[in-house]
Amino acid sequence: MDMLARREHSEREVFRKLASRGYEESVIGETIADLVADGLLSNARFVESFVHSRFQRGQGPLKIRAGLRERGIDDAAIDDCLDVYADQWRELAGQVREKKFGQSVPGDFRERSRQMRFLQQRGFDSKQIQSAFRDDDW
């Protein structure tokens, strides 16, 4: 309960944490089932919280998707939550680029490539990255 009071967790996260503390798998399974039944543990709430916090940090959908898969969330739940932000990813990519590198769009290929790699590491796809450079006639 103390773990759940701090932040939302996925079922897989709770399972891993309890297993690392030496609890038996059968006890962990029963505990997780009870928490889900009581509404104290919800993968849906976890996904919403995770996506919102990562969006606020300036991470793109590819990186967020990878993080959720790592935590045991199925693709359908991920898609549903990422679709909420569908029309905002391109704008976020531009904001992240401007925050890191300033408003002016680079004129030379080397700097432009560096900035594109930065956005790619942040988890944005190629269309979103290209839209971050929309002021450029390149």
PDB file of all heavy atoms in Angstrom, residues 79-101:
ATOM      1  N   ASP A  79      -2.117   2.557 -27.322  1.00  0.00           N
ATOM      2  CA  ASP A  79      -2.656   3.309 -28.460  1.00  0.00           C
ATOM      3  C   ASP A  79      -3.783   4.240 -28.041  1.00  0.00           C
ATOM      4  O   ASP A  79      -3.847   5.390 -28.476  1.00  0.00           O
ATOM      5  CB  ASP A  79      -3.155   2.363 -29.550  1.00  0.00           C
ATOM      6  CG  ASP A  79      -2.024   1.637 -30.258  1.00  0.00           C
ATOM      7  OD1 ASP A  79      -0.874   2.128 -30.206  1.00  0.00           O
ATOM      8  OD2 ASP A  79      -2.284   0.581 -30.847  1.00  0.00           O
ATOM      9  N   ASP A  80      -4.683   3.733 -27.203  1.00  0.00           N
ATOM     10  CA  ASP A  80      -5.814   4.551 -26.748  1.00  0.00           C
ATOM     11  C   ASP A  80      -5.343   5.820 -26.049  1.00  0.00           C
ATOM     12  O   ASP A  80      -5.869   6.908 -26.287  1.00  0.00           O
ATOM     13  CB  ASP A  80      -6.722   3.750 -25.810  1.00  0.00           C
ATOM     14  CG  ASP A  80      -7.500   2.671 -26.528  1.00  0.00           C
ATOM     15  OD1 ASP A  80      -7.589   2.724 -27.770  1.00  0.00           O
ATOM     16  OD2 ASP A  80      -8.018   1.774 -25.829  1.00  0.00           O
ATOM     17  N   CYS A  81      -4.352   5.683 -25.203  1.00  0.00           N
ATOM     18  CA  CYS A  81      -3.898   6.842 -24.437  1.00  0.00           C
ATOM     19  C   CYS A  81      -3.039   7.778 -25.284  1.00  0.00           C
ATOM     20  O   CYS A  81      -3.140   8.994 -25.146  1.00  0.00           O
ATOM     21  CB  CYS A  81      -3.135   6.383 -23.204  1.00  0.00           C
ATOM     22  SG  CYS A  81      -3.067   7.654 -21.947  1.00  0.00           S
ATOM     23  N   LEU A  82      -2.210   7.239 -26.161  1.00  0.00           N
ATOM     24  CA  LEU A  82      -1.384   8.099 -27.009  1.00  0.00           C
ATOM     25  C   LEU A  82      -2.227   8.858 -28.024  1.00  0.00           C
ATOM     26  O   LEU A  82      -1.876   9.967 -28.428  1.00  0.00           O
ATOM     27  CB  LEU A  82      -0.312   7.280 -27.732  1.00  0.00           C
ATOM     28  CG  LEU A  82       0.823   6.741 -26.866  1.00  0.00           C
ATOM     29  CD1 LEU A  82       1.783   5.910 -27.705  1.00  0.00           C
ATOM     30  CD2 LEU A  82       1.570   7.850 -26.155  1.00  0.00           C
ATOM     31  N   ASP A  83      -3.356   8.269 -28.436  1.00  0.00           N
ATOM     32  CA  ASP A  83      -4.244   8.935 -29.391  1.00  0.00           C
ATOM     33  C   ASP A  83      -4.847  10.221 -28.829  1.00  0.00           C
ATOM     34  O   ASP A  83      -5.216  11.110 -29.584  1.00  0.00           O
ATOM     35  CB  ASP A  83      -5.355   7.984 -29.843  1.00  0.00           C
ATOM     36  CG  ASP A  83      -4.849   6.918 -30.791  1.00  0.00           C
ATOM     37  OD1 ASP A  83      -3.717   7.064 -31.305  1.00  0.00           O
ATOM     38  OD2 ASP A  83      -5.579   5.935 -31.020  1.00  0.00           O
ATOM     39  N   VAL A  84      -4.944  10.309 -27.517  1.00  0.00           N
ATOM     40  CA  VAL A  84      -5.477  11.519 -26.892  1.00  0.00           C
ATOM     41  C   VAL A  84      -4.595  12.725 -27.239  1.00  0.00           C
ATOM     42  O   VAL A  84      -5.086  13.835 -27.411  1.00  0.00           O
ATOM     43  CB  VAL A  84      -5.565  11.336 -25.356  1.00  0.00           C
ATOM     44  CG1 VAL A  84      -5.913  12.633 -24.657  1.00  0.00           C
ATOM     45  CG2 VAL A  84      -6.570  10.247 -25.020  1.00  0.00           C
ATOM     46  N   TYR A  85      -3.292  12.473 -27.376  1.00  0.00           N
ATOM     47  CA  TYR A  85      -2.340  13.544 -27.659  1.00  0.00           C
ATOM     48  C   TYR A  85      -1.969  13.618 -29.140  1.00  0.00           C
ATOM     49  O   TYR A  85      -1.030  14.324 -29.504  1.00  0.00           O
ATOM     50  CB  TYR A  85      -1.059  13.327 -26.847  1.00  0.00           C
ATOM     51  CG  TYR A  85      -1.253  13.423 -25.359  1.00  0.00           C
ATOM     52  CD1 TYR A  85      -1.536  12.293 -24.586  1.00  0.00           C
ATOM     53  CD2 TYR A  85      -1.168  14.649 -24.716  1.00  0.00           C
ATOM     54  CE1 TYR A  85      -1.712  12.384 -23.219  1.00  0.00           C
ATOM     55  CE2 TYR A  85      -1.346  14.749 -23.356  1.00  0.00           C
ATOM     56  CZ  TYR A  85      -1.623  13.612 -22.614  1.00  0.00           C
ATOM     57  OH  TYR A  85      -1.800  13.713 -21.258  1.00  0.00           O
ATOM     58  N   ALA A  86      -2.687  12.914 -30.003  1.00  0.00           N
ATOM     59  CA  ALA A  86      -2.306  12.754 -31.414  1.00  0.00           C
ATOM     60  C   ALA A  86      -2.028  14.070 -32.126  1.00  0.00           C
ATOM     61  O   ALA A  86      -1.056  14.181 -32.879  1.00  0.00           O
ATOM     62  CB  ALA A  86      -3.383  11.977 -32.162  1.00  0.00           C
ATOM     63  N   ASP A  87      -2.835  15.072 -31.899  1.00  0.00           N
ATOM     64  CA  ASP A  87      -2.650  16.335 -32.612  1.00  0.00           C
ATOM     65  C   ASP A  87      -1.645  17.266 -31.919  1.00  0.00           C
ATOM     66  O   ASP A  87      -1.395  18.369 -32.397  1.00  0.00           O
ATOM     67  CB  ASP A  87      -3.986  17.047 -32.795  1.00  0.00           C
ATOM     68  CG  ASP A  87      -4.707  17.291 -31.480  1.00  0.00           C
ATOM     69  OD1 ASP A  87      -4.325  16.686 -30.464  1.00  0.00           O
ATOM     70  OD2 ASP A  87      -5.656  18.094 -31.471  1.00  0.00           O
ATOM     71  N   GLN A  88      -1.047  16.818 -30.830  1.00  0.00           N
ATOM     72  CA  GLN A  88      -0.128  17.666 -30.077  1.00  0.00           C
ATOM     73  C   GLN A  88       1.339  17.258 -30.207  1.00  0.00           C
ATOM     74  O   GLN A  88       2.222  17.999 -29.782  1.00  0.00           O
ATOM     75  CB  GLN A  88      -0.519  17.661 -28.603  1.00  0.00           C
ATOM     76  CG  GLN A  88      -1.908  18.199 -28.355  1.00  0.00           C
ATOM     77  CD  GLN A  88      -2.332  18.032 -26.915  1.00  0.00           C
ATOM     78  OE1 GLN A  88      -1.506  17.855 -26.027  1.00  0.00           O
ATOM     79  NE2 GLN A  88      -3.627  18.087 -26.670  1.00  0.00           N
ATOM     80  N   TRP A  89       1.628  16.088 -30.798  1.00  0.00           N
ATOM     81  CA  TRP A  89       3.009  15.605 -30.850  1.00  0.00           C
ATOM     82  C   TRP A  89       3.906  16.508 -31.690  1.00  0.00           C
ATOM     83  O   TRP A  89       5.042  16.778 -31.321  1.00  0.00           O
ATOM     84  CB  TRP A  89       3.072  14.172 -31.367  1.00  0.00           C
ATOM     85  CG  TRP A  89       2.444  13.185 -30.446  1.00  0.00           C
ATOM     86  CD1 TRP A  89       1.356  12.397 -30.704  1.00  0.00           C
ATOM     87  CD2 TRP A  89       2.824  12.876 -29.102  1.00  0.00           C
ATOM     88  NE1 TRP A  89       1.054  11.628 -29.605  1.00  0.00           N
ATOM     89  CE2 TRP A  89       1.935  11.899 -28.606  1.00  0.00           C
ATOM     90  CE3 TRP A  89       3.837  13.332 -28.262  1.00  0.00           C
ATOM     91  CZ2 TRP A  89       2.032  11.370 -27.333  1.00  0.00           C
ATOM     92  CZ3 TRP A  89       3.933  12.807 -26.981  1.00  0.00           C
ATOM     93  CH2 TRP A  89       3.035  11.837 -26.525  1.00  0.00           C
ATOM     94  N   ARG A  90       3.405  16.966 -32.823  1.00  0.00           N
ATOM     95  CA  ARG A  90       4.223  17.819 -33.693  1.00  0.00           C
ATOM     96  C   ARG A  90       4.557  19.135 -33.005  1.00  0.00           C
ATOM     97  O   ARG A  90       5.684  19.626 -33.077  1.00  0.00           O
ATOM     98  CB  ARG A  90       3.513  18.074 -35.015  1.00  0.00           C
ATOM     99  CG  ARG A  90       3.450  16.834 -35.873  1.00  0.00           C
ATOM    100  CD  ARG A  90       2.751  17.088 -37.172  1.00  0.00           C
ATOM    101  NE  ARG A  90       2.720  15.843 -37.935  1.00  0.00           N
ATOM    102  CZ  ARG A  90       2.503  15.784 -39.222  1.00  0.00           C
ATOM    103  NH1 ARG A  90       2.261  16.879 -39.906  1.00  0.00           N
ATOM    104  NH2 ARG A  90       2.510  14.632 -39.844  1.00  0.00           N
ATOM    105  N   GLU A  91       3.576  19.707 -32.352  1.00  0.00           N
ATOM    106  CA  GLU A  91       3.806  20.953 -31.631  1.00  0.00           C
ATOM    107  C   GLU A  91       4.810  20.745 -30.497  1.00  0.00           C
ATOM    108  O   GLU A  91       5.693  21.575 -30.274  1.00  0.00           O
ATOM    109  CB  GLU A  91       2.487  21.477 -31.061  1.00  0.00           C
ATOM    110  CG  GLU A  91       2.603  22.799 -30.355  1.00  0.00           C
ATOM    111  CD  GLU A  91       1.267  23.287 -29.807  1.00  0.00           C
ATOM    112  OE1 GLU A  91       0.217  22.896 -30.346  1.00  0.00           O
ATOM    113  OE2 GLU A  91       1.297  24.055 -28.845  1.00  0.00           O
ATOM    114  N   LEU A  92       4.690  19.624 -29.800  1.00  0.00           N
ATOM    115  CA  LEU A  92       5.622  19.323 -28.707  1.00  0.00           C
ATOM    116  C   LEU A  92       7.045  19.168 -29.229  1.00  0.00           C
ATOM    117  O   LEU A  92       7.990  19.659 -28.606  1.00  0.00           O
ATOM    118  CB  LEU A  92       5.191  18.052 -27.966  1.00  0.00           C
ATOM    119  CG  LEU A  92       6.089  17.643 -26.793  1.00  0.00           C
ATOM    120  CD1 LEU A  92       6.055  18.705 -25.694  1.00  0.00           C
ATOM    121  CD2 LEU A  92       5.658  16.297 -26.236  1.00  0.00           C
ATOM    122  N   ALA A  93       7.215  18.511 -30.378  1.00  0.00           N
ATOM    123  CA  ALA A  93       8.550  18.353 -30.957  1.00  0.00           C
ATOM    124  C   ALA A  93       9.170  19.724 -31.230  1.00  0.00           C
ATOM    125  O   ALA A  93      10.356  19.946 -30.950  1.00  0.00           O
ATOM    126  CB  ALA A  93       8.477  17.527 -32.240  1.00  0.00           C
ATOM    127  N   GLY A  94       8.384  20.644 -31.754  1.00  0.00           N
ATOM    128  CA  GLY A  94       8.880  22.000 -32.001  1.00  0.00           C
ATOM    129  C   GLY A  94       9.244  22.717 -30.716  1.00  0.00           C
ATOM    130  O   GLY A  94      10.272  23.404 -30.642  1.00  0.00           O
ATOM    131  N   GLN A  95       8.434  22.560 -29.696  1.00  0.00           N
ATOM    132  CA  GLN A  95       8.714  23.206 -28.413  1.00  0.00           C
ATOM    133  C   GLN A  95       9.984  22.658 -27.772  1.00  0.00           C
ATOM    134  O   GLN A  95      10.783  23.409 -27.223  1.00  0.00           O
ATOM    135  CB  GLN A  95       7.532  23.013 -27.461  1.00  0.00           C
ATOM    136  CG  GLN A  95       6.299  23.778 -27.844  1.00  0.00           C
ATOM    137  CD  GLN A  95       5.097  23.402 -26.988  1.00  0.00           C
ATOM    138  OE1 GLN A  95       5.151  22.493 -26.159  1.00  0.00           O
ATOM    139  NE2 GLN A  95       3.988  24.100 -27.207  1.00  0.00           N
ATOM    140  N   VAL A  96      10.151  21.334 -27.857  1.00  0.00           N
ATOM    141  CA  VAL A  96      11.337  20.704 -27.279  1.00  0.00           C
ATOM    142  C   VAL A  96      12.597  21.191 -28.007  1.00  0.00           C
ATOM    143  O   VAL A  96      13.606  21.513 -27.384  1.00  0.00           O
ATOM    144  CB  VAL A  96      11.217  19.158 -27.341  1.00  0.00           C
ATOM    145  CG1 VAL A  96      12.534  18.483 -27.005  1.00  0.00           C
ATOM    146  CG2 VAL A  96      10.122  18.686 -26.404  1.00  0.00           C
ATOM    147  N   ARG A  97      12.520  21.271 -29.348  1.00  0.00           N
ATOM    148  CA  ARG A  97      13.665  21.750 -30.123  1.00  0.00           C
ATOM    149  C   ARG A  97      13.998  23.194 -29.764  1.00  0.00           C
ATOM    150  O   ARG A  97      15.153  23.543 -29.536  1.00  0.00           O
ATOM    151  CB  ARG A  97      13.396  21.646 -31.620  1.00  0.00           C
ATOM    152  CG  ARG A  97      14.645  21.890 -32.474  1.00  0.00           C
ATOM    153  CD  ARG A  97      14.329  22.232 -33.906  1.00  0.00           C
ATOM    154  NE  ARG A  97      13.697  23.541 -34.056  1.00  0.00           N
ATOM    155  CZ  ARG A  97      14.321  24.712 -33.931  1.00  0.00           C
ATOM    156  NH1 ARG A  97      15.595  24.758 -33.635  1.00  0.00           N
ATOM    157  NH2 ARG A  97      13.674  25.843 -34.083  1.00  0.00           N
ATOM    158  N   GLU A  98      12.976  24.050 -29.687  1.00  0.00           N
ATOM    159  CA  GLU A  98      13.201  25.454 -29.362  1.00  0.00           C
ATOM    160  C   GLU A  98      13.758  25.638 -27.956  1.00  0.00           C
ATOM    161  O   GLU A  98      14.617  26.491 -27.730  1.00  0.00           O
ATOM    162  CB  GLU A  98      11.907  26.254 -29.510  1.00  0.00           C
ATOM    163  CG  GLU A  98      11.539  26.530 -30.938  1.00  0.00           C
ATOM    164  CD  GLU A  98      10.280  27.365 -31.069  1.00  0.00           C
ATOM    165  OE1 GLU A  98       9.894  28.043 -30.075  1.00  0.00           O
ATOM    166  OE2 GLU A  98       9.670  27.328 -32.146  1.00  0.00           O
ATOM    167  N   LYS A  99      13.284  24.839 -27.023  1.00  0.00           N
ATOM    168  CA  LYS A  99      13.770  24.954 -25.647  1.00  0.00           C
ATOM    169  C   LYS A  99      15.249  24.601 -25.559  1.00  0.00           C
ATOM    170  O   LYS A  99      16.016  25.248 -24.853  1.00  0.00           O
ATOM    171  CB  LYS A  99      12.958  24.042 -24.728  1.00  0.00           C
ATOM    172  CG  LYS A  99      13.346  24.150 -23.271  1.00  0.00           C
ATOM    173  CD  LYS A  99      12.459  23.299 -22.404  1.00  0.00           C
ATOM    174  CE  LYS A  99      12.889  23.421 -20.951  1.00  0.00           C
ATOM    175  NZ  LYS A  99      12.106  22.548 -20.085  1.00  0.00           N
ATOM    176  N   LYS A 100      15.655  23.590 -26.293  1.00  0.00           N
ATOM    177  CA  LYS A 100      17.046  23.135 -26.245  1.00  0.00           C
ATOM    178  C   LYS A 100      17.979  23.995 -27.099  1.00  0.00           C
ATOM    179  O   LYS A 100      19.095  24.305 -26.691  1.00  0.00           O
ATOM    180  CB  LYS A 100      17.098  21.678 -26.713  1.00  0.00           C
ATOM    181  CG  LYS A 100      18.477  21.076 -26.806  1.00  0.00           C
ATOM    182  CD  LYS A 100      19.010  20.704 -25.463  1.00  0.00           C
ATOM    183  CE  LYS A 100      20.321  19.929 -25.635  1.00  0.00           C
ATOM    184  NZ  LYS A 100      20.937  19.667 -24.357  1.00  0.00           N
ATOM    185  N   PHE A 101      17.524  24.380 -28.289  1.00  0.00           N
ATOM    186  CA  PHE A 101      18.422  25.001 -29.253  1.00  0.00           C
ATOM    187  C   PHE A 101      18.066  26.445 -29.623  1.00  0.00           C
ATOM    188  O   PHE A 101      18.789  27.070 -30.393  1.00  0.00           O
ATOM    189  CB  PHE A 101      18.456  24.168 -30.540  1.00  0.00           C
ATOM    190  CG  PHE A 101      18.915  22.762 -30.320  1.00  0.00           C
ATOM    191  CD1 PHE A 101      18.017  21.712 -30.359  1.00  0.00           C
ATOM    192  CD2 PHE A 101      20.242  22.485 -30.069  1.00  0.00           C
ATOM    193  CE1 PHE A 101      18.431  20.412 -30.156  1.00  0.00           C
ATOM    194  CE2 PHE A 101      20.677  21.183 -29.867  1.00  0.00           C
ATOM    195  CZ  PHE A 101      19.769  20.138 -29.905  1.00  0.00           C
TER     196      PHE A 101
END
